[in-house]
Each structure stands twice: as C-alpha cells, then as structure tokens.
Amino acid sequence: MALGTALEGLRVLDFSQIGAGPTIGMLLGDMGAEVVKIESPGGDLGRALGPPWLDGDSVVAMSFNRNKRGLSLDLKQPAAVDAVRRMAARADIVVESFRPGVMAKLGVGYDALAAINPRLVWVAVTAFGQDGPWADRPGVDGVVQALSGLMSQIGVEGAEPCKVQVPAVDLTTGFLGTMAVLAALRERDRTARGQYLDVSMYNASLMLQASGLASYMASGEVPKRIGSAAPYAAPNEAYRTADGWMMVAAYQPPRWKALCGLLGLEALVDDPRFAGNDARVRNRAALREALEARLAARATADWLPEMERLDIMCAPVADYAQVVASEQFAHARAAVEVPHRTGPVRLAGFLVGDRDTQARVRHAPPALGEHTREVLADYGFDAAEIDALLATRAAIGPQEAGR
C-alpha cells in the first residue's frame, strides 16, 4: 500500500495553530487521512507569519497545512460547540494546541468528546505539557529552543545566542506526535478505545538532543558551542577553502589516513595529539589549524572529486538556491506543487517511502473557511442547518471570512 493512501478512511479534526500541531495534521493528511482544519473567525495565528507572502497569504502557514480542508467555527457560540460535538461522533483523531484546559472551557474538551466517541485519539500539543511547573507558560519554537538547551548548542563560542532558523522544535514535535498517533491507532485496533496523548514541545526538544544530554549527564561538562563541528568526532566540521566552505567527515581510521595522505600531512597520522578520534576531539583547535592551512589553498570544486575518489565523506556547504537546483533534490521529488490564486506554488513535500508511493498533494492549504459548507455536509449537516450556522456566523464560509 502506498504511504499516501495508508490512512484512508480516517477523519481528523485539526484545531491546532502555528507549526507543531498543524504538522501532525498535515502528515496524517499526507498519509491519506481526511483532515479538516478548524479555525476561529480570526484564523490560525500562523497566517500572520511572514514574509514571504503570496497575495497576502503566509507561505510559512502554507508549508504546514497541505492536504487539509478548511472549516471556520466560532466556538464562543453554542451552535458551533454543538457542531463540533456532532462532528466528533464521526471523527477518529482530534489535534489541538490550546493551553491546558482551554478546550474543556469551550465545551469541546477530551472528556466531553470522548464521552460521545470513546474511539477518539486526542493529541494535545503544548509548549510544556498538560501538568507540571511550567504547564501554564506559553511558548513557541524559539522560546522552547532557549529553555530546552538547544539554543546553547548553536553557533560559536563567544558569539550571540543563535537558534536553528527553521522551526526545528515545531517540526520535531510534529514528527513525534504523528508517531504517537499511529501507535495509538494500533492500540485502538486491539482495544476499540482511543486515548489522550500529551505532546510537549519541550519534551520533543529534549528527545532531539538525546546524544548531547546523555554526554552531559555522563561527564558533568556543559558543552561549548563549536559551530559546525560534532562534539564527539573529528575531523567532522566545515573547513574554509579558497572560495568557500566544505564539510569534511574523516574521523574513521581509514578515512583519516586517506585525508592526511591527500593533504600531504602524513605525519599527523602518528602524531599523539591526533592518534585517535578521542585525541583529535580534545585537540580540535590544533587539528583545524593544520587541516585548514592546506584546504584553504584550493577551491571546493577542486577538493571534492579527489576526496570522493578516496571515499572521504565531504560536501560543499550549500545554500537553499543550490539545494533546490541540485539533481538530488529533483530525484527526491522534494518539491510539491499546490494551486493558489497567484499561480502554482512549490512547497517541500512528504519524502518518506519510495518515490513511486510517497504521498502527494490532494488538497492545497485551505483559505480560512474555504470548505465550510462542504465539510459540514460531509459530517451529516443538511442544507438548512448549514445555512443557519452561516447566517448566525457560528460557522464562517470563504465569503464571510473577510468581513
């Protein structure tokens, strides 16, 4: 079965905003689930993230929301709350990213909806979890990068703090949350009951840093920021060449010896400072000085074929323009095309599975309330009921969204 159709027949109500929760909904949609993005009349907060913009639409928000249909409901109105309850009876999965307790206060929390449909798998995404000392604290990707220690590992010693520029914590949370949903669905196959999943961005960031945290807890040494280098292997970092930078990973003995031979530095092989990986890590500064003195004499393009011939792992440090233009990017079918009123838009796609069965786009990222009437009809509302919801603005359609 193709991954793009693996979850066909499952229905997802996605109330989440910004990045982490929407990633879960998007990945489930990529795998074939029918995902409804449910937004307030004001829309997902992620719609305000930019630049860049496409005729006023956030490209960042678009990148988290393909393969969903859009429904807008005003959950401050009882009729909208009743609509969600009716929809929950037919749904399989709920994704939400409100602060703890908010959904319950609106009348559509887990207890209320699970009483209607005990098979619901509920995914609650928060910055710091549903309970504990930080449960009530708000947080976004950058805040969690700071509090989880990730930001302390990015950049070089003595420079200002840096964050991973892509929303690494949002995405990691989304990937792990999706994995938890799939496990919960497997459990539901055995028990016929859903469950409540507490998915914390903070916890996800700690899991992302498993090797770094394990190293600290074993040694008691707070690691320093070392730029492109790996704290556990050397040489394994970006070095300056005559015209730019290249990444070299030659810490395994055969590759280390081959690199020394290529650079005319055979004496380093027996130098006690560099005799093994542990020694090279401890003497990284001296090692870097010796290697870069030779690497800086020639252009990156000159070094690459020679290193590849010797099976030395290496790469130019590519920018996004070079990445998107590369033959590997094209081979991976990494970009998917979605329709938009300004013309086709290319987004990064779902790249799991082989190239012939990986998921493709079935729905473009929806405009606010774009499919309100269609979705409600699919969930059993008749035309009169839909008209009444729209007339009272308990539900918002695309025409009403801009008012």
Side-chain angles (χ1 to χ4, degrees), residues 300-316:
T300 300
D302 293 335
W303 286 121
L304 290 173
E306 295 198 30
M307 290 194 187
E308 289 170 356
R309 175 176 55 83
L310 295 170
D311 195 36
I312 297 169
M313 294 182 286
C314 60

Side-chain angles (χ1 to χ4, degrees), residues 11-17 19-29 33-39 64-65 68 75 84 91-98 103 108 110 113 120-126 173-174 177-178 181 195-197 199:
R11 289 183 160 186
V12 182
L13 305 181
D14 182 1
F15 294 87
S16 63
Q17 302 189 69
T23 296
I24 297 172
M26 179 177 70
L27 295 178
L28 295 173
E34 188 56 50
V35 182
V36 177
K37 182 175 181 64
I38 302 177
E39 301 176 74
F64 294 122
N65 286 292
K68 303 177 184 181
L75 293 179
V84 169
D92 296 281
I93 300 159
V94 170
V95 183
E96 56 100 350
S97 60
F98 293 100
M103 288 286 278
V108 289
Y110 174 72
L113 299 191
L120 273 180
V121 172
W122 188 285
V123 194
V125 179
T126 56
T173 305
T178 303
V181 170
Q195 60 181 288
Y196 184 96
L197 301 173
V199 177

Side-chain angles (χ1 to χ4, degrees), residues 18-376:
I18 311 285
T23 296
I24 297 172
M26 179 177 70
L27 295 178
L28 295 173
D30 285 343
M31 290 185 281
E34 188 56 50
V35 182
V36 177
K37 182 175 181 64
I38 302 177
E39 301 176 74
S40 72
D44 180 346
L45 295 172
R47 293 186 183 275
L49 298 178
W53 309 96
L54 286 175
D55 193 26
D57 290 342
S58 165
V59 174
V60 175
M62 292 176 70
S63 73
F64 294 122
N65 286 292
R66 67 172 172 268
N67 285 335
K68 303 177 184 181
R69 293 186 296 166
L71 165 66
S72 181
L73 295 173
D74 182 358
L75 293 179
K76 294 178 182 178
Q77 295 202 39
V81 171
D82 289 342
V84 169
R85 291 178 174 174
R86 284 178 60 178
M87 294 177 72
R90 299 189 178 202
D92 296 281
I93 300 159
V94 170
V95 183
E96 56 100 350
S97 60
F98 293 100
R99 289 198 200 184
V102 169
M103 288 286 278
K105 290 178 181 177
L106 291 170
V108 289
Y110 174 72
D111 290 340
L113 299 191
I116 298 168
N117 180 0
R119 290 174 55 82
L120 273 180
V121 172
W122 188 285
V123 194
V125 179
T126 56
F128 302 105
Q130 294 296 308
D131 53 30
W134 293 353
D136 292 330
R137 295 181 67 162
V140 291
D141 181 275
V143 170
V144 178
Q145 285 197 37
L147 277 169
S148 67
L150 181 58
M151 195 177 290
S152 75
Q153 300 302 293
I154 308 300
V156 295
E157 193 68 14
E160 67 180 71
C162 297
K163 71 183 290 289
V164 183
Q165 292 300 297
V166 295
V169 173
D170 276 335
L171 292 167
T172 300
T173 305
F175 299 154
L176 291 171
T178 303
M179 182 174 70
V181 170
L182 298 178
L185 290 172
R186 180 71 179 97
E187 178 68 11
R188 191 180 75 171
D189 289 342
R190 290 194 286 259
T191 66
R193 296 193 67 84
Q195 60 181 288
Y196 184 96
L197 301 173
D198 180 359
V199 177
S200 157
M201 293 170 63
Y202 180 79
N203 290 1
S205 187
L206 296 181
M207 293 176 71
L208 177 63
Q209 300 174 80
S211 62
L213 288 166
S215 296
Y216 165 71
M217 289 186 287
S219 68
E221 296 180 8
V222 176
K224 296 180 179 179
R225 287 182 284 165
I226 52 176
S228 64
Y232 44 77
N236 188 13
E237 60 186 293
Y239 295 94
R240 191 183 299 275
T241 64
D243 64 345
W245 295 84
M246 67 181 297
M247 186 74 187
V248 178
Y251 50 88
Q252 295 156 331
R255 291 184 168 110
W256 165 239
K257 186 175 181 179
L259 179 65
C260 289
L262 175 63
L263 299 181
L265 296 171
E266 292 86 352
L268 296 188
V269 174
D270 298 318
D271 188 318
R273 297 175 299 166
F274 313 126
N277 180 66
D278 183 86
R280 292 193 293 273
V281 168
R282 295 181 186 279
N283 294 286
R284 188 191 310 277
L287 175 66
R288 181 183 181 89
E289 183 178 357
L291 296 182
E292 204 161 70
R294 298 299 176 91
L295 290 167
R298 298 174 64 185
T300 300
D302 293 335
W303 286 121
L304 290 173
E306 295 198 30
M307 290 194 187
E308 289 170 356
R309 175 176 55 83
L310 295 170
D311 195 36
I312 297 169
M313 294 182 286
C314 60
V317 178
D319 61 26
Y320 278 3
Q322 294 166 319
V323 170
V324 172
S326 72
E327 58 186 4
Q328 186 63 35
F329 188 91
H331 173 77
R333 298 178 183 171
V336 293
E337 199 169 86
V338 302
H340 187 265
R341 61 183 175 277
T342 62
V345 178
R346 297 175 78 206
L347 302 172
F350 182 95
L351 304 181
V352 179
D354 66 71
R355 295 168 65 253
D356 295 324
T357 64
Q358 67 192 27
R360 311 310 291 173
V361 173
R362 294 175 295 112
H363 302 297
L368 178 61
E370 180 177 349
H371 306 101
T372 291
R373 185 176 288 276
E374 171 188 317
V375 167
L376 290 172

Side-chain angles (χ1 to χ4, degrees), residues 1-8 30-32 357 359:
M1 178 182 289
L3 283 183
T5 58
L7 301 184
E8 276 187 357
D30 285 343
M31 290 185 281
T357 64

